[in-house]
Amino acid sequence: MSLPLSFLLPPPPASWDSSTGHDIRVHKRIAPVKAGIVEPVGAEFLAVLRRNRYNRTLTQDWELEKALKDSAVDGDDDWVEEPETKALLASDPNNWKHQDHYAILGISRLRWTATDEQIKKAYRKKVLKHHPDKKAATTGKKDDDAYFKCLQKAWEIMTDPALRRQWDSCDPTFDDDLPTAVKKGSTFYETFAPAFEKEARFSKDPAVLRANLGDDSSSREEVEAFYQLWINFDSWRTFEFMDEEEEGGLNSDKSREAKRYLDKKNRAARSRLKKEDNQRVIKFIETAMKLDPRIQKIKEEERAAREAKKYARENAGKKEAEDAAKRAAEVKAAEEASAAEEKERRDVEKKEREAHKKLARKARNAIKAVFSGNNFFLDVKAKPAALEEQQTKFDALIETLELWQLEEFKERLDDAVSGGIAALNAVLISEHELLNSRKEAEAAAAATKASGRSNANSSATAAKKAKAPWSTKEVSTLVKAVKTFPGGTVSRWEKVAEYVNLHGVDSPADSNDRGPDECIKKSKEMQDASVAERTALQSAATEASKKKDTMLNEKPSDRTEVNSDLATPAGSAKAAKPAVASSTTAGGFVLPENDMWSAAQQAALEEGLKKYPAIQFNSAPAKRWEEIAKEVDGKNVKEVKQRMKDLADALAKSKKPAGKSGKK
C-alpha cells in the first residue's frame, strides 16, 4: 500500500549507496505497545477539581488561594483576637459600605490608630479562621464564604490609604459632639483637652497632633501658638462614603443623564457636609478661646495696658516737661564733661609736645657740642668765612631734623669721632644729602598726587627698579628697619621700605626704590637663610659700614610716619625759623608766584599741618583737611587743598640742578 505525498522528499544523503539495491534501511525498531492506566495530576488539575466542587469562578479561586497563602506567615503571636458576635458573622457582603471594617478585621480597639502591620496581622488570622476551604473541612458547608467576602472588602479598603481615609472620615463610631461649656465639677482643661485630641486626628498639619492644650502654667507664647495652629486648622475629612448609591449598583440601567445628576447631587452633599464640619470645628475653637482662663487673663492684661497708656497720654505734658529739663541737665553735664576731657587732652598733648621739644633740644645741644668741640668739622687752618658758612649750614640742618633723625645723626657722629675731622665732615655732608633727597622725594610724591599720575606707571617704574639685586648695605639696613618698626606698627612695611631707600644706599641717586612687597619677600628669605649665611652677611655688612654689631647692637629709634602728600613730616614739632629766601616761608614752603594768601593765613596753615599730622587720620583722611581748614581764617577745605597743590608745584619748579651733586 502506497500513500501519496503532498510534498517532495529531500534527496538521499551522500552516504547512500544505490548499488546495494536496497530502498529501505532500518535504523531502530519500535518498542512493543504496553497497556496501562493514565490519571490526570498536577496543581492545575487540583484547581479544576476545587472549582468544580465549591462552584467557584477562576478569579474567585485565585483570590481565595492567594489570601490563604498570605495568611500562612509566622510572627502574629502578639495579635489579640476580639470576640465575634453573631451579628458580625452574619454581615452581608453586598452591604459592605455600611459595615464596620475594623470590627470585621477584629481591631475595633485600635481603629484609626492601627498601623499597616497590625492590619496585616489581623487579616492573616481572620483568613486562617474563615477561609472557605478551612470552614468546609470543619463544618461541611461548601458555600459558606459570606464573611470571607466581607473580610476581603475590609482588607481592600484598609490597605488603600485613600479609601481608608474616606472610611475614617465617616466612621460610625466617631462622636461629632464637642463641648460648649465647662462641665460641672470639672476644669476647662479636663473638659476641652480630650475634645482637642479627638479632633486633631483630622488635621493635615502633623504639628496639631503634637500640640498640647497645656494648663495654667503655660506661657502666653505657648497659648497663642496653640490657638494659632487651631485657627489655621485644615481638615482632611471627606464624605464619599455618604454618597447615595444607584439602585442596582453597577448593573443599573439608568441613563447617562440620570447618572450625571446623581453624581452632581453627591458632590453637592459632600460639599455641604464638609462645610458643616468646618463650621462645627470653628465654633468649638471660638468657644474654647472664650472660656479659656488664660485668654481671659491675657485680655485683662491688655485692657490694663491700654488704660495705663491712656493715663500716660493724659499726663504726657507734665512728663515731657520733666524729661526736657532732665535732658537739658544731662546735655549740660555732658558738655562740661566733654570740655574737661578736651582740656585734659590738650594738656596732655601740650606736655607731650614740650617733652618732644625738650628731647629735640637736648639732642641738638649734644650735636652742637660735638660740632663746636671738633672745630666745626673743618681743618684748623680753615678761614673764618668757611667757618661761618659751615656754621650756617649746620644750624639750618639741625633745626630742620626731627627728633629721630637727630638721634641717628648723633649716633653716626659718635661712630665717626674716632676717624677725625674728615670723618665727621663726611657724616655732615651725608646728612645734608640725605635731607635733600628726602625733600625731593616728598615733593615728587606731592607733585605726583596733584597731577593725577596713574598708579600703574608708578608700579611699573617700581617694578623696573626692583630688578636690581640687593646690596649688602641694603640688607643690613633692612634688618635694622625691621627691628626699628616692630610688628603692629601702622603702615609698617611702607616705613621699612622708605627707611631702606634712604639709608641703604651711599647717595639718594643710587636708590633702587624698594617697595613694601620687595622688603617682605627679602625679609622672608633672610628668615629662611641658614646660620652660616646670616653670619657671613653680618660680617660683610659690618666691614662695609665700618661698624661693629650693626645688625645686633644698633639702638632702635622711634619714628613717626612721613606725610608724603604734604611734602612735610607729619607730627613734627615747631622748629626755629631758619634763614630762608624771600619767596620761602618759615616752614620751608616755596611760595607760588602771584601769591594771594596772607602771611597770617600761611602761618595758620603750617601750624594746622603740624597740629593734625596724617598719621592721626589714617581711617578718615578727609577729616584732617576739615580740621586744618578750621585753623585758617577765611579759607575752606577746597581752598586749603588747592593751596597745598600750588605749594607742591612751586617746590617742584624751584628744584635746583645742585640737588644732583650727590650722584657719582
Side-chain angles (χ1 to χ4, degrees):
M1 179 180 177
S2 61
L3 296 175
L5 299 177
S6 58
F7 56 91
L8 295 177
L9 291 176
S15 60
W16 172 257
D17 187 6
S18 58
S19 61
T20 57
H22 298 287
D23 297 332
I24 299 174
R25 178 176 295 179
V26 178
H27 296 278
K28 191 174 183 180
R29 297 185 179 279
I30 300 175
V33 179
K34 296 182 180 179
I37 299 175
V38 179
E39 295 182 357
V41 295
E44 293 301 326
F45 177 74
L46 295 177
V48 171
L49 290 180
R50 186 169 59 249
R51 290 196 297 271
N52 292 337
R53 180 180 180 185
Y54 297 113
N55 193 23
R56 300 175 186 165
T57 65
L58 182 62
T59 302
Q60 289 175 340
D61 186 69
W62 284 349
E63 292 178 351
L64 290 173
E65 289 301 311
K66 183 178 183 304
L68 186 62
K69 182 179 180 181
D70 292 342
S71 65
V73 180
D74 297 333
D76 296 339
D77 297 337
D78 58 342
W79 183 78
V80 179
E81 183 177 4
E82 294 180 356
E84 298 172 340
T85 63
K86 292 182 178 180
L88 184 65
L89 294 174
S91 299
D92 184 3
N94 295 324
N95 194 28
W96 61 270
K97 199 168 186 178
H98 301 285
Q99 73 181 13
D100 188 347
H101 298 296
Y102 289 117
I104 293 294
L105 291 171
I107 52 176
S108 295
R109 68 189 188 283
L110 301 175
R111 306 201 72 79
W112 68 276
T113 62
T115 63
D116 294 341
E117 186 64 25
Q118 290 172 329
I119 293 174
K120 184 183 293 186
K121 290 182 179 181
Y123 172 70
R124 290 171 178 172
K125 289 292 184 180
K126 289 291 185 179
V127 165
L128 289 175
K129 184 176 181 180
H130 294 283
H131 194 279
D133 291 351
K134 298 284 185 179
K135 296 179 72 173
T138 56
T139 62
K141 297 180 180 181
K142 300 180 181 179
D143 56 351
D144 187 11
D145 59 353
Y147 189 80
F148 186 79
K149 291 179 179 179
C150 294
L151 187 64
Q152 286 293 99
K153 196 63 180 180
W155 168 258
E156 177 185 341
I157 292 175
M158 291 297 107
T159 54
D160 187 324
L163 294 177
R164 183 181 179 186
R165 177 162 285 190
Q166 293 175 8
W167 162 253
D168 287 338
S169 298
C170 304
D171 191 341
T173 63
F174 179 74
D175 184 11
D176 285 343
D177 292 337
L178 293 170
T180 57
V182 179
K183 295 180 180 179
K184 187 177 181 180
S186 179
T187 64
F188 167 80
Y189 310 105
E190 293 173 349
T191 302
F192 280 80
F196 277 111
E197 294 177 1
K198 179 180 68 173
E199 288 295 329
R201 59 178 285 192
F202 296 118
S203 173
K204 293 181 180 180
D205 187 0
V208 177
L209 285 171
R210 300 190 297 268
N212 185 14
L213 179 61
D215 50 27
D216 289 329
S217 62
S218 301
S219 65
R220 177 171 180 170
E221 290 75 14
E222 293 173 343
V223 175
E224 292 177 348
F226 176 81
Y227 281 107
Q228 187 62 38
L229 284 174
W230 280 94
I231 290 173
N232 299 326
F233 183 82
D234 188 9
S235 174
W236 52 257
R237 195 175 186 186
T238 57
F239 298 92
E240 286 86 353
F241 271 77
M242 304 294 290
D243 288 353
E244 182 181 342
E245 296 288 340
E246 298 180 10
E247 296 181 3
L250 297 176
N251 300 322
S252 174
D253 57 354
K254 287 188 177 182
S255 63
R256 180 181 302 173
E257 289 75 11
K259 293 181 180 180
R260 288 179 177 175
Y261 171 75
L262 182 60
D263 183 58
K264 181 179 179 180
K265 183 179 178 181
N266 286 333
R267 287 200 304 270
R270 289 197 297 269
S271 178
R272 176 179 54 80
L273 292 172
K274 179 70 173 179
K275 184 176 181 180
E276 291 176 355
D277 185 66
N278 290 338
Q279 292 295 332
R280 179 182 65 88
V281 176
I282 291 173
K283 184 177 180 180
F284 164 67
I285 297 172
E286 292 175 348
T287 303
M289 295 181 68
K290 183 178 179 181
L291 299 177
D292 194 332
R294 300 168 300 182
I295 299 294
Q296 297 174 1
K297 182 179 178 181
I298 291 173
K299 290 182 178 180
E300 288 293 334
E301 292 175 353
E302 291 177 349
R303 187 181 303 109
R306 287 195 299 270
E307 292 177 355
K309 188 176 182 180
K310 181 180 178 181
Y311 177 78
R313 279 198 306 268
E314 293 174 353
N315 295 275
K318 182 179 178 181
K319 188 174 185 301
E320 185 176 355
E322 294 175 354
D323 292 344
K326 184 178 179 180
R327 286 194 297 270
E330 291 176 351
V331 170
K332 183 178 179 181
E335 290 177 352
E336 292 177 353
S338 178
E341 184 178 351
E342 179 66 16
K343 184 177 181 302
E344 183 180 356
R345 183 184 66 80
R346 291 188 177 183
D347 291 342
V348 172
E349 290 180 354
K350 183 178 179 181
K351 290 180 180 179
E352 291 178 352
R353 287 195 298 269
E354 293 297 332
H356 189 83
K357 290 179 181 179
K358 185 176 180 181
L359 292 174
R361 189 164 49 251
K362 184 178 179 180
R364 289 189 182 96
N365 292 336
I367 295 174
K368 288 179 180 179
V370 177
F371 182 69
S372 60
N374 290 274
N375 197 36
F376 305 136
F377 301 163
L378 293 175
D379 189 79
V380 293
K381 298 179 180 180
K383 296 180 179 180
L387 294 175
E388 184 178 356
E389 182 182 358
Q390 184 82 329
Q391 180 69 52
T392 302
K393 291 171 57 178
F394 176 78
D395 291 340
L397 174 64
I398 62 173
E399 292 299 333
T400 306
L401 298 180
E402 294 291 334
L403 175 60
W404 66 274
Q405 296 167 341
L406 291 169
E407 291 177 349
E408 290 187 353
F409 186 27
K410 178 64 168 59
E411 289 179 5
R412 287 194 291 272
L413 290 175
D414 292 341
D415 292 337
V417 168
S418 59
I421 297 298
L424 291 172
N425 194 40
V427 172
L428 179 60
I429 295 173
S430 174
E431 189 65 26
H432 269 289
E433 293 177 351
L434 185 62
L435 178 61
N436 292 333
S437 64
R438 187 181 298 116
K439 288 182 178 181
E440 290 178 0
E442 292 171 355
T448 301
K449 185 175 181 181
S451 62
R453 183 177 299 171
S454 63
N455 294 331
N457 294 337
S458 300
S459 301
T461 304
K464 183 177 180 180
K465 291 185 178 181
K467 295 180 180 179
W470 283 71
S471 65
T472 304
K473 188 173 182 179
E474 282 183 314
V475 174
S476 61
T477 306
L478 173 64
V479 174
K480 180 181 177 182
V482 170
K483 294 180 181 180
T484 304
F485 305 105
T489 304
V490 178
S491 302
R492 180 193 184 195
W493 290 105
E494 286 76 2
K495 295 178 180 179
V496 169
E498 181 184 1
Y499 191 93
V500 171
N501 292 330
L502 291 176
H503 302 284
V505 293
D506 296 330
S507 66
D510 298 333
S511 175
N512 291 313
D513 290 336
R514 302 296 182 184
D517 294 338
E518 289 182 88
C519 294
I520 293 174
K521 182 178 179 181
K522 191 62 179 178
S523 178
K524 290 182 178 180
E525 292 178 1
M526 293 297 298
Q527 292 176 0
D528 297 336
S530 62
V531 177
E533 292 174 346
R534 294 183 184 180
T535 303
L537 177 62
Q538 182 175 341
S539 300
T542 303
E543 182 178 354
S545 60
K546 297 182 180 180
K547 296 180 181 180
K548 293 183 179 181
D549 302 328
T550 301
M551 299 171 60
L552 303 177
N553 299 330
E554 214 165 1
K555 178 182 178 182
S557 59
D558 296 331
R559 175 190 170 184
T560 57
E561 185 179 1
V562 175
N563 181 18
S564 59
D565 63 326
L566 298 179
T568 184
S572 61
K574 288 185 179 180
K577 293 184 179 180
V580 296
S582 59
S583 61
T584 306
T585 67
F589 290 94
V590 178
L591 296 177
E593 298 178 359
N594 301 324
D595 186 18
M596 301 300 294
W597 278 51
S598 65
Q601 289 176 332
Q602 178 64 31
L605 174 61
E606 296 178 11
E607 288 298 323
L609 294 173
K610 297 176 182 178
K611 184 177 180 181
Y612 301 106
I615 194 171
Q616 297 180 3
F617 298 89
N618 287 334
S619 59
K623 183 67 175 176
R624 182 193 182 208
W625 295 110
E626 294 176 2
E627 297 295 335
I628 293 175
K630 293 178 182 179
E631 299 291 328
V632 184
D633 293 335
K635 301 296 181 182
N636 55 29
V637 176
K638 184 177 181 180
E639 291 173 329
V640 169
K641 288 185 176 180
Q642 183 62 36
R643 178 64 172 179
M644 295 309 302
K645 181 179 182 299
D646 295 339
L647 293 174
D649 293 338
L651 180 62
K653 293 178 181 179
S654 65
K655 288 195 300 182
K656 298 178 181 180
K660 301 180 181 180
S661 60
K663 292 185 179 180
K664 295 182 180 179

